[in-house]
Every structure is written in structure tokens, then in C-alpha cells.
Amino acid sequence: MDTDQIMRTFNDFFRERGHHRIDGGTLLPPPGDPVLFTTSGMHPLIPHLEGRPHPLGRRLSGVQRCLRTTDLDEVGDGTHLTVFQMLGSWSLGDYGLPQSLRWGCELLRDGFGIPPERMHVTVFGGNDEIGPDDESLATWRELGLPVETVRDDNWWSHGPAGLCGPDSEIFVWTGGPGTPPQGTPTTDPRWVEVWNHVGMRHHRAEDGTLQPLRQPDVDTGMGLERLVMLLQGRDSVYGTDLFEPWARHLPPLWSLDERGTRLVIDHLRSATVVIGDGVRPSAGSHGYVLRRLVRRVLTTLWRDDPSRTLSDLPQEPLRHTLDHFRLPTGPDEVRGVLDEEERRFRDLVRRGRRVLDRPEFSGKLSDDDYRRLHDTYGLPRDLVTGLRAG
């Protein structure tokens, strides 16, 4: 299956089961939301998961583009991305978690052709506050999938306060077609998590107390890029059709190690989506995240060759990403933003080298030194570290 077929299979499956499709919009949450970017498929639905009626009804499904900065240090491996798409299905006080689990198994097994013997599940095993999710455990056993109980990790929370509940995580074996599954998801990393099903049954208050929701919901989330990787038999998301133009153009353009190439691809692709959503580089808020992504790319490129420039980037990968995310921005506009940010960063690097050549910054830098370099000269700590290492 290519990506379009995978998305069509997902959407058709839930449409046939009475779900109304919602297409995720911008990465930017509505005004007043304290979170900078949409981080999950359920994020835009929080008021409805808390009980407000949704105009399309109580069964919903769709795809939402998301951005997470919490995994930046993980970017460069085979599965973590900064901007990604989340396939989701939701029951707003309609059907329960067992029905969602049955449909999840059916779609993976019959819709996507994943053999049941190459799937494994973990469920919430209880903690000091809440007992084990015996209902989900019994459902998975009824479906015949191997299941493992996990005491704390399978409890999903939307931050320290807010919606929460027990989580069933579905894993798929990636050890190769001729390799029989071994171990469990908690013992063998070749089990890759693909789909979470959360019984949204509780709300945690600011004081830490846990209260049951008047409207128990179901929230599921499945990363599209990771699913495509599994169904196309690739060992990383970067080998899928979603990344094909990037993987074809960038390695011949800039010779980097594998992790560096993946970081550059991810951050440029993510920056393209963020720019397409109307964000521009700045010293704070959404623009700072975009600036950080672009400057991490440049720092990686210039580590071996300071003459490298984003102006050499061809338009095809930019156009492919803008088209896939259905963004109205053109490649020329994205290139203009990237080029201007590169010019600013080159100026900052030149100024930073002159500052760091001063005698007071020649030795080991203290936290006060780093604060002074940032507050007085505008030099972030990671840039200072990179310049001194170089």
C-alpha cells in the first residue's frame, strides 16, 4: 500500500462504522490554548471529550498533523519525527473501550493485512490509585492476541492535570518476515508501538485528585508515518514514499552520516509544514521553535563544511511536503524564509566567534557566563557549545 491507500483504508473503515470524518487543520491551537502547537490527534477535541456536544456527532475519525519538541533528541533514529500525522478515532460517550479494541484488531488484521501472530498488546496493570484494566485484558484474550500487563506506563494523561485513563498499546513485530517474534514489547525493541487506545474515563485536578468523567470517552491515536513504515516493510520512516523526494535529493547534495541526514530531512520537512501554517522565525513563541529547527539543520550542515547553504535545496521535496499536507504556501515562499533565516544565523555565528575570542570567555564557562552570552549578545547555549567545539 502507498500512503494514499493506507489513509483511504483507515477512513473507509471508520466511515462504514458510523464515524464522521474530521480533517485536522493547522498546527496552531486556538487563541488562549497554553500549548504552542497541536501535539496529538485529540488535542483539538478536548472540549468535546470533556462533554461539549460535537456538531458531527459522537463517533469521529480523521487525521491531525502534530508537532512535538519533546522528542527532538530522539530525531535521527528510525521512527521519531518532529512534525507527524496522527490517525485517530473517537467515541464521545458512545461505544466503550472493548468495541474500540475489537475494531482496532480488525483493521490491522483484515484491513492492513498484519498477521495476528506478529502483534502484541500491553494493557494497564493498575497502580496505587486505580485498579487494573481487566475489561481490556479480557477483550484482548478473547481476540487471541498475546497481551502483557504494565503497572504504570499504560496510563495516558494529557499533562499533569486534565483528561486521563488506561491505555492499550498495540505493537507490531519488525524483526523481518522470516524472523519469528521474540520476547515482548517491554523486553525486545523490535516490537514497535503502532496504535494506542485510551479509555478516557477520568480527569485529574490541579491538586492531583482523580475524578471520574461524567461522559466516558475513547480516544485512539496511530502515527501515520510509523504505520506506513510497517506496511511498506521499511526499517525507518525515511524509507517510505512519504520521504522519497527528501531521501533521493539530500544525500547526494550534502554528505552526512545517517543520523545527520535524518535530522536534516526531518527538520527541513517540519519547518516546511510550520512555514506553510503561517509561522515565521522569531525570538519567541511559535517562531522560536521554527528558528530552532532551521538553526539545528544549519549547525549540522556546517559542522563539516561551513560553505553549505540551504539555497542548494531543490524545490521537489518542498513541493511534495506542501502538497501532502495540503498547504497553500508555495515552495518559493518556503525557500525565501529559509534563506533569510540562514543569513541571520550566519551573521550571528560570525558575531559569536568574535565574542568568544575575548579573554573572559577563554576558559570553562559557568552558568552565569552562558546567561550573559545569551542575554547580552543573543548567543544561545547550544550555539556557544557548538562554536567552542569547532
Side-chain angles (χ1 to χ4, degrees), residues 11 51 57:
N11 289 325

Side-chain angles (χ1 to χ4, degrees), residues 140-347:
W140 288 121
R141 286 175 172 168
E142 171 194 323
L143 292 167
L145 294 188
V147 58
E148 179 181 15
T149 58
V150 181
R151 178 170 168 78
D152 290 310
D153 288 348
N154 279 62
W155 179 265
W156 191 93
S157 300
H158 185 63
L163 298 166
C164 54
D167 176 22
S168 279
E169 299 180 352
I170 308 174
F171 294 76
V172 174
W173 178 251
T174 62
T179 307
Q182 301 174 25
T184 69
T186 59
T187 63
D188 195 316
R190 289 174 291 181
W191 288 104
V192 172
E193 175 191 331
V194 64
W195 202 355
N196 288 349
H197 290 243
V198 180
M200 205 77 75
R201 301 168 181 168
H202 303 273
H203 185 280
R204 191 176 297 278
E206 295 290 343
D207 63 5
T209 57
L210 205 60
Q211 299 294 331
L213 289 176
R214 291 193 300 272
Q215 172 190 287
D217 306 306
V218 177
D219 160 46
T220 86
M222 177 162 52
L224 174 64
E225 292 84 355
R226 192 174 294 189
L227 176 65
V228 173
M229 177 193 77
L230 294 169
L231 296 181
Q232 293 183 358
R234 307 300 182 181
D235 60 2
S236 83
V237 295
Y238 300 95
T240 67
D241 59 353
L242 279 167
F243 289 84
E244 191 277 330
W246 294 97
R248 175 161 39 90
H249 283 286
L250 263 65
L253 183 62
W254 299 313
S255 179
L256 300 164
D257 61 22
E258 182 178 64
R259 194 171 188 90
T261 297
R262 289 175 173 179
L263 182 146
V264 168
I265 290 175
D266 168 83
H267 283 14
L268 285 177
R269 177 179 180 265
S270 298
T272 300
V273 180
V274 176
I275 293 169
D277 263 338
V279 177
R280 296 297 178 264
S282 67
S285 190
H286 308 92
Y288 178 73
V289 174
L290 174 58
R291 172 162 287 170
R292 187 180 179 196
L293 291 174
V294 177
R295 293 184 174 185
R296 278 170 63 95
V297 168
L298 293 168
T299 300
T300 302
L301 293 179
W302 294 346
R303 190 174 296 135
D304 298 325
D305 184 354
S307 70
R308 289 169 172 164
T309 174
L310 297 180
S311 298
D312 293 333
L313 183 67
Q315 285 199 355
E316 185 184 353
L318 302 177
R319 185 179 295 108
H320 178 270
T321 295
L322 293 169
D323 289 346
H324 173 73
F325 283 90
R326 300 179 182 179
L327 293 165
T329 308
D332 288 337
E333 186 174 352
V334 175
R335 284 284 296 275
V337 174
L338 295 177
D339 289 346
E340 174 61 19
E341 186 58 24
E342 179 180 334
R343 184 193 65 76
R344 290 176 177 273
F345 192 50
R346 283 192 185 277
D347 291 343

Side-chain angles (χ1 to χ4, degrees), residues 18-31:
H19 292 66
H20 291 273
R21 178 175 169 179
I22 54 173
D23 287 322
T26 173
L27 283 170
L28 307 180

Side-chain angles (χ1 to χ4, degrees), residues 79-94:
T79 59
H80 285 89
L81 297 168
T82 307
V83 166
F84 59 94
Q85 290 175 282
M86 187 71 76
L87 299 168
S89 60
W90 297 274
S91 164
L92 305 179
D94 188 6

